[in-house]
Amino acid sequence: MPSHGAPRAPKAAANDDGRSFLADKSAKVFVAGHRGMLGSAIHRRLTALGFTNIVGRTRAELDLACEAAVHKFFEAEQPRYVILAAGKVGGLHASSAAPVDFMTENLRITTSVLAAARRCGAVRKLLFVATSAVYAADAPQPIPESALLAGPPAAGNEWYAVPKIVGIKMCQAYRAQLGMDAIVAAPNNLYGPRDPFPPENSHVIPALIRRFHHAKATGAPEVVVWGSGYQLREFTHVDDAADAIVLLMDRYSGHEHVNIGSGREVTVHELAEMVREVVGYEGRVVWDTSRPDGVMRRLLDSSKMTALGWEPKVELRDGTKKLYEWYLRGCHTNVKASAHADID
């Protein structure tokens, strides 16, 4: 496990004049996972806001799961702010198929980055991105932040959820013991542009887009979707989530994590019909009820986030239409289609 060590006096201390995050746009901001769906949206948002010193590294340039490499990076770069949006992600099928990979990689990334951020002495604030999958399947709806650890994560989700729970508690521990301003955001079912476009064993909206497009292109008479279609889901566009994360960096410094959700629910059946219409596929949708539904409902109580002034702007149909247009521009060319769409 990483050693916390004795941190040097923060190099940023001489310039620590009480400026908020949004008033400190020349400071170095490390966006871990800047090529991912959420990380790239955060990067775009910071750039649009006028931040001039945003740092990112590809996996080839920096393996965030390697403790020594992460410490070396922080020692050299000395970022003032860190947004940890990196990790191994995927839908229910992906995490169930590779539980060791999901557990190990995500735990190593979290512990390595937190330890290095503390040890380098320059980091003023760190935000860790968790997930709504941390909550129990039978959590009260809408789910408040206080429901964390009220029960185990849903079966199949635990391989991704448990490392995220550890990340939440690690941030709380760093705050309590070491005085580090480490905060946590827990977004719900994000979707939006990503390059390369996610494969079909990832999250539900890109999976459905791929599946319906492939069926339309090949003239297939039907598309098979896992589950009953009765599951309720809340989807949040990644640009809205990026806005929320910037707001948290600017206005929030608290022990408890903060939910990020649009507050708008749709059944998976309604979602599939909407995606089918957006794509223009005219065949049948067949529901494979022998496959798991996952959690039947997961709606977040995002009142803490909205109290900070955040309001989601992107409607689901509009966001899905733009995502399909993104897909058609060629982001899908390097990933093969598979035979099903699974539900997060």
Side-chain angles (χ1 to χ4, degrees):
M1 295 293 290
S3 172
H4 305 306
R8 291 194 292 268
K11 293 185 177 181
N15 298 318
D16 194 351
D17 53 8
R19 284 181 293 176
S20 70
F21 178 66
L22 287 176
D24 203 10
K25 294 177 181 176
S26 63
K28 184 174 290 187
V29 183
F30 174 43
V31 180
H34 76 293
R35 291 283 186 87
M37 179 177 65
L38 179 56
S40 62
I42 294 167
H43 195 287
R44 289 193 303 270
R45 184 60 179 147
L46 293 176
T47 300
L49 287 168
F51 282 79
T52 58
N53 199 358
I54 308 168
V55 177
R57 292 290 186 273
T58 65
R59 181 165 185 162
E61 294 168 333
L62 174 63
D63 181 0
L64 291 170
C66 175
E67 177 188 343
V70 174
H71 278 283
K72 183 177 180 181
F73 167 81
F74 272 83
E75 288 295 311
E77 293 293 336
Q78 298 285 304
R80 187 175 298 177
Y81 302 102
V82 178
I83 300 175
L84 179 47
K88 187 172 182 62
V89 299
L92 182 64
H93 176 77
S95 61
S96 297
V100 172
D101 296 343
F102 273 78
M103 288 281 289
T104 303
E105 185 169 342
N106 286 320
L107 284 170
R108 285 177 175 170
I109 288 172
T110 302
T111 55
S112 293
V113 171
L114 276 167
R118 168 63 184 172
R119 185 176 179 181
C120 84
V123 175
R124 183 183 295 176
K125 189 169 193 173
L126 178 147
L127 183 146
F128 171 72
V129 178
T131 170
S132 62
V134 298
Y135 296 115
D138 60 353
Q141 304 287 330
I143 308 172
E145 288 87 354
S146 59
L148 182 68
L149 299 180
N157 280 332
E158 67 264 41
W159 315 119
Y160 180 62
V162 168
K164 293 297 186 178
I165 293 171
V166 171
I168 293 172
K169 303 311 288 185
M170 286 289 288
C171 286
Q172 293 174 352
Y174 270 77
R175 174 178 291 274
Q177 179 179 337
L178 303 172
M180 184 176 180
D181 191 2
I183 63 174
V184 181
N188 196 9
N189 285 330
L190 299 181
Y191 73 102
R194 180 182 175 185
D195 187 9
F197 200 85
E200 277 199 41
N201 63 354
S202 69
H203 296 291
V204 59
I205 291 180
L208 289 172
I209 286 175
R210 276 188 172 278
R211 192 71 182 113
F212 282 120
H213 179 80
H214 180 71
K216 177 183 175 181
T218 61
E222 64 183 37
V223 167
V224 178
V225 184
W226 280 19
S228 67
Y230 297 127
Q231 315 95 304
L232 281 165
R233 290 293 182 268
E234 172 189 41
F235 294 97
T236 306
H237 194 275
V238 69
D239 289 343
D240 284 333
D243 286 345
I245 283 169
V246 170
L247 198 60
L248 288 172
M249 288 292 292
D250 189 60
R251 300 184 185 178
Y252 184 74
S253 289
H255 171 83
E256 192 172 51
H257 62 288
V258 180
N259 289 337
I260 301 174
S262 67
R264 297 185 285 268
E265 288 182 293
V266 62
T267 68
V268 174
H269 185 279
E270 292 168 335
L271 176 70
E273 285 299 315
M274 185 196 70
V275 175
R276 184 182 68 81
E277 292 171 7
V278 166
V279 172
Y281 173 66
E282 297 181 353
R284 300 187 304 275
V285 179
V286 177
W287 296 92
D288 183 357
T289 56
S290 69
R291 300 292 188 171
D293 276 333
V295 178
M296 290 306 296
R297 189 184 185 201
R298 188 185 287 139
L299 174 67
L300 296 183
D301 177 352
S302 298
S303 56
K304 283 179 63 176
M305 191 68 246
T306 56
L308 291 171
W310 176 75
E311 182 179 356
K313 301 179 180 66
V314 182
E315 294 293 336
L316 181 58
R317 179 176 285 272
D318 293 339
T320 301
K321 185 175 183 292
K322 289 179 181 178
L323 182 57
Y324 183 50
E325 291 169 355
W326 170 277
Y327 177 79
L328 291 177
R329 286 198 293 268
C331 295
H332 62 293
T333 54
N334 295 323
V335 185
K336 295 180 180 179
S338 63
H340 69 268
D342 75 1
I343 304 303
D344 306 329

